[in-house]
Amino acid sequence: MKWRTLTDSVTRYIAKEMQPFNTVEKPAFKEMLYNFDKQYELPGKTYISKTAIPNLYREVKDEILKDLKEIDFYSATTDMWSSVNMTPYMSLTVHYLTTDWTLVSKCLETRYTPENHTADTLSETLKCILSDWELDEKKKSCITTDNGANIVAAVGKLGWPWLNCFGHNLHLAVTNAIASEKDRTARALGLCRNLVNTFSMSWIKRRDLKKAQMEADIPQHNLVLDVSTRWGTKQKMIDRVLEQIPAIRRVLIDDRKHGHLNPTWQDVSVLESINAALKPVADFTDVLSGEKYVTVSSVKPVLDLLKDELLSPDSNDTTLTSNIKKKMCAVLDEKYSPAPLQELLRKATLLDPRYRAHFEAAIIDDTKGQLLKEIMEMTEEGHNVEQAAADDDVPTTSSAPPPKKKRLCDLLQKRKALPSTHGLPKREQADAELSRYLQEEALDNSADPLMWWRDNESRFPLISKLARKYMCICATSTASERMFSTAGNIVTPVRCCLKPEKVNMLVFLSRNLPSH
């Protein structure tokens, strides 16, 4: 029993911390465990790989399967990824609310997809994953992906509700806006990258930069290089270069080899114009990428804030700043223009007690009607299930007790129960609930809407079902991207020969094993 407990701890350490299997055969590791317990015999890497890890995977999977059977609704995020040896995988993460209104995310699959990534292939893969995990498609409220044509077509083929990733949309807005002003921005941005590379690759330059920073009394920060797939790094690169201009000029003023990299006043003016357009929206991607709090209901308010205030033309804006803002707004409007997306976002926003008063009266009435229709559909489905369960509970003739004489209260109870089987009273109840809910005082923006629903679920039993459906939707597909960061730490150049099945197990365990 003790050996099993210790071995289980070693296995969990290897899985959670993404350590190679041969860790158990390294002398220092073996010596450490020997000092802890001299009687413990550490198993070899073959046992860990072929027995311990699969057993732990099945154990954790069974626990998650048990939890998934209890949920009312779930949403999903998915993305594609290629390992260091160009092995293709598809990820799927599900998000759901527990009975106490806690938002939970579970990485279910990192599936090997060697076939061409057509819409047919991806849709079939997604369907197989849900089937393997015994997930009912009717309980799926939405799936969030990027704007890739193949994955969008795959989701459309399946007929699933779909939401495009806010982070990807904002990335497209920024890159398209800057590309539209390429003639005016290309030199300044190229100069930024060359500056960062020059200082990054020379320890002498970095030393001289620190000295110049102290002399100029400016923050001792390193320069930041942008990453093409992350628009936020572009703004950080520009902002950091502008911050460090006095120190950069001190270092380069006498440098004959790199003196041409000293920014001119025109370069600085262009960088300041770009930064003025990008900086106000720099934090929104990170804020809407959380997995432990509600994000989808904030998309609509954020889009309105960007359009009406942060990206609205200002009298102090340069022409370049104004053009970039206009282009960003146009791209975001296009990405969120489809009617199904608008309907989904409005429902989610209205069901968030922080944003009840966000819409105009006409939009509230329209969205209220859509919610009423959905409540009635859910109620009807629930009634059918309850009726079926009631029929199953009727005792058979052989085991039925002798009939008792009916009482007046039994007859009256039957008469009283008749109206509840019809749709009209339920609709009136739902309408009354929605009206009372909309009249409630709005929460502060810093409040937790899930805690509000936990405390008020009994007051709004019908609407709370819809809240469970929509509050678990993710505004971005970042959950799957985080999973690939984990996968990248597992499938390293040293471990690039791991079998896809083992990769799936290790990513699953690293993401789902609890941290104590």
Side-chain angles (χ1 to χ4, degrees):
M1 178 62 71
K2 185 176 182 181
W3 181 88
R4 185 176 299 173
T5 301
L6 294 176
T7 302
D8 182 64
S9 296
V10 171
T11 305
R12 287 174 179 270
Y13 162 73
I14 289 174
K16 186 67 180 177
E17 302 303 326
M18 299 169 284
Q19 297 300 307
F21 298 136
N22 65 358
T23 298
V24 297
E25 296 183 352
K26 292 182 178 180
F29 188 78
K30 294 172 73 174
E31 181 182 358
M32 178 183 68
L33 292 186
Y34 178 78
N35 290 332
F36 288 158
D37 189 331
K38 292 179 172 55
Q39 295 181 341
Y40 175 59
E41 184 177 346
L42 185 64
K45 65 179 182 181
T46 302
Y47 177 85
I48 295 295
S49 172
K50 295 186 176 181
T51 303
I53 289 293
N55 287 345
L56 182 58
Y57 171 78
R58 285 190 291 270
E59 177 187 333
V60 177
K61 182 176 181 178
D62 288 342
E63 292 175 0
I64 294 178
L65 279 169
K66 183 179 178 181
D67 291 341
L68 293 178
K69 290 182 184 299
E70 304 298 324
I71 63 176
D72 296 318
F73 298 99
Y74 66 92
S75 71
T77 53
T78 187
D79 206 348
M80 305 300 298
W81 173 74
S82 294
S83 65
V84 67
N85 60 351
M86 300 309 295
T87 303
Y89 294 90
M90 169 182 264
S91 73
L92 186 78
T93 303
V94 296
H95 315 267
Y96 58 89
L97 290 167
T98 62
T99 54
D100 65 347
W101 292 86
T102 300
L103 187 57
V104 175
S105 297
K106 294 295 182 183
C107 154
L108 298 188
E109 202 83 25
T110 307
R111 180 155 296 196
Y112 176 50
T113 51
E115 301 84 4
N116 291 340
H117 295 168
T118 62
D120 289 339
T121 299
L122 299 186
S123 63
E124 188 62 31
T125 302
L126 287 171
K127 201 161 187 176
C128 286
I129 293 174
L130 292 195
S131 176
D132 292 347
W133 281 89
E134 302 174 14
L135 286 167
D136 187 353
E137 288 188 32
K138 294 180 180 179
K139 291 185 176 182
K140 181 178 42 52
S141 52
C142 184
I143 184 168
T144 305
T145 75
D146 60 21
N147 292 281
N150 54 352
I151 190 64
V152 173
V155 174
K157 184 179 179 68
L158 292 168
W160 294 353
W162 173 73
L163 179 65
N164 46 8
C165 172
F166 177 86
H168 194 237
N169 290 338
L170 196 54
H171 172 77
L172 291 175
V174 170
T175 53
N176 289 353
I178 292 178
S180 68
E181 298 290 333
K182 185 176 181 179
D183 293 343
R184 303 176 65 183
T185 61
R187 172 187 154 79
L189 290 175
L191 181 72
C192 265
R193 295 188 186 98
N194 289 334
L195 271 173
V196 175
N197 284 325
T198 297
F199 280 87
S200 298
M201 293 187 291
S202 171
W203 66 269
I204 296 176
K205 286 284 189 295
R206 293 200 300 273
R207 179 198 64 190
D208 293 344
L209 182 64
K210 287 188 177 181
K211 181 179 178 182
Q213 288 169 340
M214 290 187 288
E215 292 174 352
D217 193 25
I218 59 177
Q220 295 185 35
H221 295 156
N222 293 323
L223 299 181
V224 178
L225 183 63
D226 68 329
V227 180
S228 59
T229 56
R230 299 181 180 178
W231 77 267
T233 57
K234 192 185 302 294
Q235 186 275 325
K236 290 177 182 177
M237 177 183 72
I238 295 171
D239 195 52
R240 185 59 54 83
V241 167
L242 290 173
E243 176 193 80
Q244 298 296 324
I245 284 290
I248 291 172
R249 284 179 170 159
R250 283 173 182 258
V251 175
L252 297 181
I253 191 168
D254 295 324
D255 189 331
R256 302 180 66 178
K257 183 178 179 181
H258 299 104
H260 65 284
L261 294 177
N262 232 329
T264 64
W265 68 268
Q266 293 98 328
D267 295 325
V268 173
S269 177
V270 170
L271 293 176
E272 288 176 341
S273 294
I274 298 174
N275 199 41
L278 302 188
K279 194 168 186 177
V281 301
D283 296 327
F284 284 104
T285 299
D286 290 339
V287 171
L288 289 178
S289 296
E291 296 180 55
K292 297 182 178 180
Y293 53 87
V294 178
T295 56
V296 66
S297 58
S298 297
V299 172
K300 190 72 175 171
V302 165
L303 289 173
D304 291 344
L305 176 65
L306 294 178
K307 182 179 177 180
D308 298 338
E309 296 184 31
L310 300 182
L311 296 181
S312 177
D314 187 270
S315 58
N316 297 323
D317 288 344
T318 64
T319 303
L320 178 58
T321 300
S322 180
N323 289 345
I324 292 175
K325 286 182 174 181
K326 289 178 182 177
K327 183 63 176 179
M328 289 174 64
C329 282
V331 173
L332 289 174
D333 284 343
E334 176 192 354
K335 292 301 176 184
Y336 287 102
S337 61
L341 287 182
Q342 287 292 320
E343 181 179 325
L344 185 150
L345 293 177
R346 286 172 181 169
K347 287 180 179 178
T349 304
L350 199 64
L351 289 169
D352 190 323
R354 297 172 297 178
Y355 307 129
R356 273 185 291 243
H358 182 77
F359 298 113
E360 297 176 355
I363 296 178
I364 289 179
D365 290 340
D366 184 50
T367 307
K368 181 181 176 182
Q370 294 168 356
L371 290 174
L372 275 174
K373 180 180 178 182
E374 194 164 354
I375 288 174
M376 294 309 300
E377 291 172 353
M378 290 170 56
T379 303
E380 184 62 31
E381 290 176 4
H383 170 71
N384 292 337
V385 172
E386 291 169 6
Q387 186 63 46
D391 293 341
D392 290 341
D393 289 338
V394 174
T396 61
T397 305
S398 59
S399 60
K404 295 181 179 180
K405 186 177 179 180
K406 294 187 182 297
R407 297 172 297 174
L408 179 61
C409 62
D410 296 328
L411 298 173
L412 292 177
Q413 180 66 30
K414 183 182 295 186
R415 176 68 180 88
K416 184 179 179 181
L418 285 176
S420 64
T421 62
H422 300 288
L424 184 59
K426 279 291 183 184
R427 183 175 183 84
E428 290 176 353
Q429 180 186 345
D431 193 17
E433 269 193 32
L434 273 170
S435 298
R436 282 191 291 112
Y437 169 75
L438 293 173
Q439 291 171 3
E440 293 274 319
E441 185 178 352
L443 290 186
D444 184 80
N445 284 343
S446 61
D448 186 348
L450 296 181
M451 293 302 97
W452 187 92
W453 275 113
R454 183 193 65 186
D455 297 337
N456 293 274
E457 181 176 12
S458 59
R459 295 177 57 214
F460 304 101
L462 295 178
I463 308 175
S464 63
K465 294 181 184 297
L466 284 181
R468 283 189 175 278
K469 179 178 180 179
Y470 287 97
M471 294 292 100
C472 66
I473 299 174
C474 290
T476 71
S477 58
T478 308
S480 291
E481 294 175 12
R482 290 193 183 105
M483 197 180 76
F484 290 144
S485 296
T486 300
N489 291 329
I490 291 172
V491 191
T492 62
V494 178
R495 306 180 72 192
C496 62
C497 292
L498 280 169
K499 300 293 184 183
E501 180 184 6
K502 202 71 69 178
V503 172
N504 179 46
M505 288 184 184
L506 293 174
V507 174
F508 174 86
L509 290 172
S510 181
R511 296 293 296 175
N512 293 321
L513 279 174
S515 299
H516 297 293

